[in-house]
Amino acid sequence: MPFYILSFAQMLLPISVAAKGILWTVLFGLAKTCQYGGLTILGVEGYKRLKKKFKKNDDR
């Protein structure tokens, strides 16, 4: 989540458009890498357990 915020927040910096584009690409790429890395670590079974846990909490 922090990389998504940083990737868009850097647009407010007083730097060149080219530098902003490079920063956005790097930060957004890091955000996606962390996202997919987390899903890979979690795995299919972990995802099912997590989904089941949240589903139980919604029934309350």
Side-chain angles (χ1 to χ4, degrees), residues 7-27:
S7 68
F8 289 102
Q10 59 82 26
M11 295 295 179
L12 301 173
L13 295 175
I15 54 178
S16 72
V17 174
K20 286 181 183 183
I22 292 168
L23 274 175
W24 186 84
T25 303
V26 169
L27 292 170

Side-chain angles (χ1 to χ4, degrees), residues 14-50:
I15 54 178
S16 72
V17 174
K20 286 181 183 183
I22 292 168
L23 274 175
W24 186 84
T25 303
V26 169
L27 292 170
F28 197 76
L30 283 170
K32 285 296 182 185
T33 301
C34 289
Q35 177 187 359
Y36 292 130
L39 288 176
T40 302
I41 292 168
L42 186 62
V44 174
E45 289 302 316
Y47 176 74
K48 287 179 184 177
R49 284 191 303 248
L50 193 62

